[in-house]
Amino acid sequence: MCGIAGFLDATHALTDDAARALALAMSSTLRHRGPDDEGVWVDTEVGLGLAQRRLAIVDLSPLGHQPMVSADGRHVLNFNGEAYNHEELRGELQREGVAFRGASDTEVFVEAVARWGLGPALDRTDGMFAFAVWDREERSLRLVRDRVGEKPLYYAWVGRTLVFGSELKALRAFPGFSPAIDRTALDAFLRYSYIPAPRTIYEGVSKLLPGSILDVAADGTAGEPRSYWSFADVAESGCRSPLDIGDADAVDVVEEALRKSVGLRMLADVPVGAFLSGGLDSSTIVALMQAQSGGTAKTFTIGFDDSDYDETAHAAAVARHLGTDHTELRATPQDALDLIPTLATTYDEPFADSSQLPTMLVAALTRRHVTVGLSGDAGDELFGGYVRHGVLDRLWRRQAKVPKVVRRMAAGTLSAVRPSTWDRGAGVARSIARGRVPAHAGEKAHKLARVLRAPDLDAAYDALAATWPDSVPSPGGSERRASPPRLSDLPVCLDVTERVMLRDATSYLPDDILTKVDRASMAVSLEARVPMLDHRLIELVWRLPRAVRFRPGETKWILRAILARHVPTEITDRPKMGFAVPVAEWLRGPLRTWADDLLAPGAMRAAGYLDPEPVATVWRQHLEGSRDHASALWSVLMFQAWLQEGSRAMPGTAKTPG
């Protein structure tokens, strides 16, 4: 695991010493991603500089030093990530006569590229990665990102020079890099709390899409990124050629594929542990990990005193049953609040999933004991765990039968009642029904009203998922909206539930969930691995027949069946809680002064990016307690904090925070 950075200067203006110094300056911004070693490789004849910061995980010796040159001298690899099946690939290459100097997975991959070519090497590799590989014979540079987007890779042109890196801060270290804020990206950020790829917060700066390759010639010419693996292709292939399999066999084959994935991700030359919330996904990963550990797996949990946000008792029960070596930290609100000033630097561009706070806390706890942590992320996207996965299909089919005028009247009735009034009524009903009435009834009623008004399926999705579904307070950005793939553009053989899941898997998963985990873990030099993102497991699950994969009213039933083989259901059978902190209450309490300063209308007006009037309305409603606008406010606060951090770092400008 590493941080990579580099450039390809078509003007060939740099001397050898200057190129080395520049490459090292870029990679030094990524020291947190790789504290164990640094390396640089330059070729001033073509204007190439590659630099790397190493977090040693496999082969801790100097033989794992990067950038790494293939044995035949043709390819130079600057690699961030892991090739989990490197031992299998090593055996294949050795049988073909390849001799190895060390034991690193990086060496296996560069020799696979040298022997088989980049495409076949990628096809055979199970891993998470983002890398640059220079072909000295073809005089071409290729930037590559893993299939699902676990590892990040940013790139841009500064004049005739391509610059790239694992984080935006590496690009900002390059002289002359001074892009303006992309208002369309800002609009998307406020709408979704993340910026959908390939956009970034900067104009002219891109994220390489998951499963893509960017080819750049020595003269700086480049085409559009090309795909070598696509979630959409996997989904379409699965629905057109499903397996002939029943429920029991489906549970067996999925468990075996997931067991293999967990086993591969346990391989390392450093200590390995796992995040354990006590929920379905992380408990399943830990159960399969413990079954293969040959000892006692190490597990880690963060908890809070607020019972609405605390899962430590559930995690402890799972850990006791499985017999793991469990470590628990009960964090105070101040522990989370102390992280807030670091968020702009850690996440590098505006990012507003507030579960970033507990993720950073559990990553820091885990890093005190191990160097690799397994995560239960992606279970929702793969097996259908979000409420919208089942609800949107039912709502959309039902409302299609209702005349528009009736839907508008119903929406008006629902939204006319304040959420707090809905909540009071639901509270009484909940007491009578002994807890069977869902909480947060008011916000759910208003979401339903927005769905009823939605003119199409994408608007209905936004009504359920978007942070600012109606009026985004960023004038100038909405004319050309940057959004995830439209549901109507996805393969026609998919039903509504599958389309919603595919949209989440191709945007929300890499741009929110995996971004959150990558930055939080790498900020403390911890490698996070996600077993549910093994591409062979993904391809298997999407080939399950629709009737086997989904059960009405039961989310992720296959995972539940797998976990039940290892942990009694009475320990794990509980409502989904999520990984969150009480941001709504904090904004009315300990964060009030901080938020007041950032949301001051004068400050927003002076910056010129946000319309202060709708923000002021939302802030007032939240403080009054009539609405819970925590998510919408958090997105504005994270953007304002990012601007403020930029102003401190570069006096006189708010354009390039970091």
Side-chain angles (χ1 to χ4, degrees):
M1 184 59 62
C2 316
I4 63 171
F7 56 84
L8 182 60
D9 176 17
T11 67
H12 308 165
L14 295 171
T15 66
D16 187 84
D17 288 344
R20 288 180 179 277
L22 182 51
L24 287 172
M26 295 176 71
S27 68
S28 68
T29 67
L30 306 173
R31 181 180 178 85
H32 53 285
R33 298 186 74 94
D36 299 329
D37 188 20
E38 69 177 1
V40 63
W41 189 93
V42 301
D43 183 344
T44 52
E45 288 188 8
V46 294
L48 179 67
L50 303 175
Q52 198 240 26
R53 296 291 321 193
R54 184 186 182 204
L55 176 63
I57 301 293
V58 177
D59 189 351
L60 311 185
S61 78
L63 292 174
H65 179 79
Q66 290 192 53
M68 186 177 291
V69 182
S70 61
D72 63 7
R74 176 174 172 175
H75 295 91
V76 186
L77 179 64
N78 201 14
F79 190 78
N80 166 32
E82 298 290 346
Y84 297 124
N85 62 336
H86 66 95
E87 291 183 351
E88 173 190 342
L89 297 179
R90 180 185 296 271
E92 289 185 43
L93 289 165
Q94 286 175 329
R95 287 190 290 274
E96 294 185 18
V98 176
F100 289 91
R101 296 154 285 177
S104 75
D105 59 325
T106 302
E107 185 181 6
V108 170
F109 189 78
V110 76
E111 296 304 335
V113 172
R115 183 75 177 183
W116 301 324
L118 178 59
L122 286 170
D123 289 343
R124 299 188 195 197
T125 300
D126 173 14
M128 60 172 179
F129 44 76
F131 63 83
V133 59
W134 172 249
D135 187 325
R136 300 170 80 178
E137 183 177 304
E138 293 186 359
R139 292 167 64 88
S140 64
L141 181 71
R142 291 184 174 90
L143 304 183
V144 185
R145 194 173 178 202
D146 65 57
R147 295 173 177 86
V148 185
E150 291 185 69
K151 293 292 101 182
L153 190 54
Y154 295 87
Y155 67 95
W157 269 263
V158 179
R160 294 183 60 197
T161 302
L162 170 75
V163 293
F164 62 90
S166 298
E167 296 180 17
L168 283 171
K169 54 177 64 71
L171 278 63
R172 288 196 291 266
F174 192 88
F177 181 85
S178 57
I181 287 176
D182 184 337
R183 288 182 179 271
T184 303
L186 173 58
D187 176 89
F189 164 70
L190 293 170
R191 193 175 300 279
Y192 300 111
S193 297
Y194 63 88
I195 298 174
R199 286 187 181 271
T200 72
I201 193 60
Y202 294 130
E203 291 181 357
V205 182
S206 300
K207 304 180 185 87
L208 188 63
L209 287 170
S212 293
I213 302 171
L214 177 67
D215 300 281
V216 187
D219 63 3
T221 58
E224 292 297 315
R226 54 188 172 92
S227 172
Y228 68 88
W229 189 92
S230 158
F231 232 123
D233 289 346
V234 168
E236 183 168 21
S237 175
C239 70
R240 295 194 185 282
S241 302
L243 296 172
D244 182 10
I245 193 171
D247 288 1
D249 288 339
V251 174
D252 288 342
V253 297
V254 171
E255 179 174 13
E256 177 60 17
L258 186 54
R259 184 194 66 79
K260 288 180 179 178
S261 178
V262 170
L264 282 175
R265 284 153 182 79
M266 292 169 63
L267 298 175
D269 295 332
V270 293
V272 178
F275 307 143
L276 177 61
S277 69
L280 174 60
D281 300 342
S282 67
S283 297
T284 302
I285 296 302
V286 169
L288 297 176
M289 181 182 184
Q290 176 68 353
Q292 301 175 74
S293 67
T296 303
K298 296 180 181 294
T299 54
F300 304 91
T301 299
I302 288 286
F304 294 94
D305 289 335
D306 188 331
S307 60
D308 288 340
Y309 298 89
D310 183 61
E311 296 184 280
T312 53
H314 304 294
V318 173
R320 280 194 302 272
H321 178 81
L322 294 174
T324 71
D325 178 3
H326 190 59
T327 301
E328 173 186 309
L329 174 66
R330 187 159 295 276
T332 66
Q334 191 61 47
D335 291 328
L337 300 180
D338 287 344
L339 291 173
I340 288 175
T342 72
L343 294 179
T345 299
T346 298
Y347 283 87
D348 224 17
E349 66 176 339
F351 182 80
D353 182 337
S354 62
S355 64
Q356 63 202 129
L357 293 169
T359 304
M360 292 175 71
L361 288 170
V362 76
L365 169 66
T366 303
R367 185 61 178 94
R368 293 174 205 158
H369 302 269
V370 300
T371 312
V372 174
L374 271 58
S375 163
D377 287 306
D380 291 313
E381 290 80 6
L382 192 56
F383 292 97
Y386 297 131
V387 170
R388 59 180 174 266
H389 291 160
V391 165
L392 191 56
D393 184 26
R394 295 196 299 272
L395 285 176
W396 192 249
R397 281 189 286 107
R398 289 173 183 173
Q399 78 177 53
K401 302 175 183 178
V402 179
K404 287 184 179 180
V405 64
V406 176
R407 283 158 42 193
R408 284 196 297 269
M409 291 174 59
T413 301
L414 289 169
S415 56
V417 180
R418 300 175 77 178
S420 55
T421 303
W422 281 111
D423 287 342
R424 284 194 294 272
V428 174
R430 198 176 300 116
S431 298
I432 296 172
R434 297 182 180 180
R436 289 192 292 273
V437 177
H440 309 296
E443 294 302 326
K444 290 175 181 176
H446 278 240
K447 281 189 175 183
L448 176 57
R450 291 196 293 269
V451 173
L452 291 172
R453 294 192 187 101
D456 55 40
L457 193 57
D458 288 282
Y461 176 99
D462 279 1
L464 293 176
T467 304
W468 288 82
D470 299 321
S471 176
V472 175
S474 58
S478 300
E479 295 86 354
R480 187 161 57 91
R481 181 180 295 183
S483 64
R486 290 182 57 81
L487 296 170
S488 56
D489 294 335
L490 298 179
V492 295
C493 67
L494 303 178
D495 66 15
V496 170
T497 294
E498 290 167 322
R499 290 185 187 203
V500 173
M501 290 177 61
L502 181 56
R503 173 168 165 166
D504 284 342
T506 54
S507 186
Y508 179 68
L509 177 63
D511 296 331
D512 185 307
I513 301 300
L514 298 180
T515 295
K516 174 186 66 180
V517 173
D518 174 81
R519 303 305 190 279
S521 59
M522 295 310 296
V524 293
S525 306
L526 174 75
E527 176 170 300
R529 299 177 174 180
V530 187
M532 290 197 197
L533 292 182
D534 186 299
H535 70 281
R536 291 165 296 195
L537 174 65
I538 293 170
E539 291 162 0
L540 167 65
V541 170
W542 274 94
R543 286 198 67 196
L544 296 177
R546 197 170 285 145
V548 170
R549 192 176 179 197
F550 305 113
R551 284 185 177 177
E554 185 177 359
T555 60
K556 300 189 286 190
W557 82 267
I558 292 178
L559 280 186
R560 295 180 192 280
I562 292 171
L563 183 58
R565 295 175 172 181
H566 303 270
V567 180
T569 55
E570 56 264 28
I571 295 178
T572 59
D573 188 14
R574 60 186 178 89
K576 181 181 179 68
M577 180 178 287
F579 199 35
V581 289
V583 170
E585 292 83 354
W586 289 355
L587 289 175
R588 299 184 184 107
L591 287 180
R592 170 73 182 271
T593 301
W594 169 77
D596 271 333
D597 290 343
L598 289 174
L599 299 178
M604 282 191 284
R605 195 172 288 111
Y609 294 107
L610 300 180
D611 182 351
E613 292 184 8
V615 175
T617 299
V618 165
W619 184 219
R620 183 181 65 254
Q621 291 175 344
H622 187 82
L623 291 176
E624 292 171 349
S626 62
R627 296 292 302 269
D628 180 356
H629 287 306
S631 295
L633 289 165
W634 193 251
S635 66
V636 174
L637 288 164
M638 287 297 97
F639 177 70
Q640 290 294 99
W642 181 82
L643 281 178
Q644 189 178 80
E645 177 65 21
S647 297
R648 282 196 295 265
M650 301 180 67
T653 178
K655 290 186 177 180
T656 50

